[in-house]
Amino acid sequence: MKLTSENLPKNPFYTSMSQYAANHPQFFQWRKEKTDHYNHSNLVDKALQLLKERIRRGDALAYFLRGQLYFEEGWYEEALEQFEEIKEKDHQATYQLGVMYYDGLGIAANAEKGVEYMKKIVDSPCPKARHLKFAAAYNLGRAYYEGKGVKRSDEEAERLWLFAADNGNPKASVKAQCILGLYYSTKEPKELEKAFYWHSEACGNGNLESQGALGLMYLYGHGIRQDTEAALHCLKEAAERGNVYAQGNLVQYYYKMKFFTKCITFSKRIADYDETHDISIIAQVTDCLPEFINRGMAMASFYHARCLQLGLGITKDEETARLYYSKACRLNPAMADELHSLVIHQRI
């Protein structure tokens, strides 16, 4: 299970560029004057000009906001330089440096240095670092789980994630709550009741990955009494919000229930995602793990191919079916092999 870093938590003192703009009306005043130039590129250029002016006047917040703007635009080298400059004065810069060094954004990956920065946040007594501690603990747990920058330890990863999850506190790391759900459902031996608890907490706090996971747990009775109605509610809502793994499992459910027209319609949209580019984009937008997005796409591709091969809910087309079977194999060979085995045993 390949994990991703926790996004920078909102700061209770200043949450975003938009709040900063609200406190400085001149920030977007130009929009009223030049509405014909209102596009993303011009917005970024204008923001940088105004931040430069605020920096010239000694606005400490503007230094960080400029680095964060670089980061969000994917200009990692510029962001790294900005954050390095202010890391001793701004905990958020320290946090972002930890993410960048660990993940190799704008610089060669250096997990040890990434871990060092995250430990600084976790150990800091400064009140201004308090809102970062849960997220930093999640990232440290990830490092121990992956064995990068520290000696691998599932026990230490679990301990840090439990701290980061803070008993389901919505202001803590919701990502840690979700990952605990995944961790307890995949470790050996599995602890499915714990997995259900943490997915429930994360889902209640808005986590999309956990909402899909809860649907599957209800569907198969894992860690909770089987409840098809609750399962479909979770899966459908997660699918509507963009959870591709939930979408793929709905395709499988429709096929098994012989709702072939619904299966073919729903599966085509998912199966036609661009396997090269869309996974990373979907992961960024939904904060779902690429591994599960991949599985959802592979599952949808396979069942779409099966419907085409047999003419279920659509005109039979074996040539096109082969293309979708091939896509399923490219996306996730293990899952495609598992589904092919079910075909051989006439279970699908």
Side-chain angles (χ1 to χ4, degrees):
M1 185 167 62
K2 184 172 176 56
L3 306 182
T4 54
S5 293
E6 176 80 280
N7 292 331
L8 180 75
K10 290 181 179 180
N11 191 319
F13 297 100
Y14 41 85
T15 59
S16 65
M17 182 75 80
S18 59
Q19 181 175 328
Y20 179 81
N23 293 333
H24 298 80
Q26 75 277 21
F27 199 82
F28 286 131
Q29 181 65 32
W30 69 284
R31 284 173 54 187
K32 298 177 182 178
E33 301 166 359
K34 297 184 178 181
T35 54
D36 57 324
H37 293 131
Y38 178 41
N39 59 50
H40 182 76
S41 178
N42 284 330
L43 275 174
V44 172
D45 288 343
K46 187 63 177 180
L48 289 173
Q49 291 172 24
L50 290 168
L51 286 171
K52 183 178 180 180
E53 176 60 22
R54 301 301 302 183
I55 288 170
R56 189 186 67 78
R57 295 181 187 178
D59 186 340
L61 169 58
Y63 280 93
F64 170 76
L65 288 176
R66 183 165 69 177
Q68 186 62 14
L69 183 57
Y70 289 147
F71 182 90
E72 291 173 358
E73 289 299 308
W75 302 339
Y76 295 124
E77 291 182 5
E78 292 85 349
L80 190 75
E81 183 179 350
Q82 184 73 71
F83 291 144
E84 284 284 7
E85 185 179 336
I86 62 173
K87 65 184 179 183
E88 300 302 328
K89 300 177 182 178
D90 194 305
H91 297 290
Q92 295 195 126
T94 302
Y95 181 92
Q96 291 294 63
L97 285 171
V99 170
M100 296 181 79
Y101 277 108
Y102 190 90
D103 288 336
L105 302 176
I107 196 169
N110 185 334
E112 290 80 6
K113 199 164 186 176
V115 165
E116 177 188 336
Y117 280 124
M118 288 301 167
K119 283 184 175 178
K120 281 185 179 180
I121 296 296
V122 171
D123 297 336
S124 175
C126 180
K128 290 187 177 181
R130 189 174 300 138
H131 72 289
L132 299 168
K133 287 180 180 287
F134 292 130
Y138 160 79
N139 287 330
L140 277 179
R142 175 194 175 191
Y144 278 101
Y145 180 78
E146 295 177 339
K148 292 170 61 177
V150 288
K151 184 178 179 181
R152 191 183 189 287
S153 170
D154 285 351
E155 292 76 16
E156 186 63 8
E158 182 182 0
R159 183 189 73 79
L160 285 161
W161 286 337
L162 286 169
F163 168 78
D166 194 32
N167 295 314
N169 177 4
K171 295 182 179 179
S173 172
V174 178
K175 196 178 187 81
Q177 296 163 13
C178 171
I179 294 303
L180 281 168
L182 293 172
Y183 172 71
Y184 287 126
S185 62
T186 55
K187 69 187 290 282
E188 290 297 338
K190 293 179 173 62
E191 297 183 67
L192 294 177
E193 290 185 1
K194 285 185 179 181
F196 182 83
Y197 169 80
W198 282 112
H199 277 312
S200 296
E201 293 298 304
C203 178
N205 291 328
N207 187 273
L208 180 55
E209 189 104 72
S210 282
Q211 187 175 35
L214 278 180
L216 292 175
M217 297 189 84
Y218 275 119
L219 188 63
Y220 297 110
H222 292 165
I224 189 68
R225 178 180 55 83
Q226 189 174 23
D227 186 335
T228 303
E229 184 177 348
L232 291 175
H233 175 78
C234 286
L235 287 173
K236 287 178 179 178
E237 192 167 298
E240 288 174 2
R241 293 175 60 201
N243 185 320
V244 178
Y245 192 47
Q247 293 170 0
N249 277 279
L250 276 175
V251 167
Q252 180 172 258
Y253 175 80
Y254 293 144
Y255 183 94
K256 289 182 176 179
M257 296 301 293
K258 302 187 186 305
F259 301 153
F260 297 124
T261 301
K262 205 167 189 177
C263 177
I264 198 74
T265 302
F266 200 54
S267 64
K268 180 167 174 46
R269 183 181 59 194
I270 308 159
D272 284 345
Y273 283 137
D274 186 324
E275 60 197 279
T276 305
H277 301 103
D278 285 350
I279 291 178
S280 60
I281 294 172
I282 293 169
Q284 184 177 5
V285 171
T286 64
D287 201 27
C288 291
L289 293 176
E291 176 183 344
F292 290 98
I293 297 170
N294 174 291
R295 289 186 194 181
M297 289 171 61
M299 190 179 297
S301 298
F302 192 94
Y303 280 103
H304 192 71
R306 186 68 174 157
C307 287
L308 284 167
Q309 180 187 11
L310 300 178
L312 302 173
I314 194 172
T315 303
K316 188 173 181 179
D317 186 342
E318 294 188 3
E319 183 177 350
T320 304
R322 282 194 291 271
L323 295 177
Y324 283 105
Y325 277 133
S326 295
K327 184 171 185 177
C329 291
R330 288 195 305 273
L331 281 164
N332 196 311
M335 173 163 283
D337 186 62
E338 179 183 330
L339 292 172
H340 181 63
S341 177
L342 294 177
V343 170
I344 292 173
H345 291 89
Q346 298 183 336
R347 294 179 60 187
I348 61 175

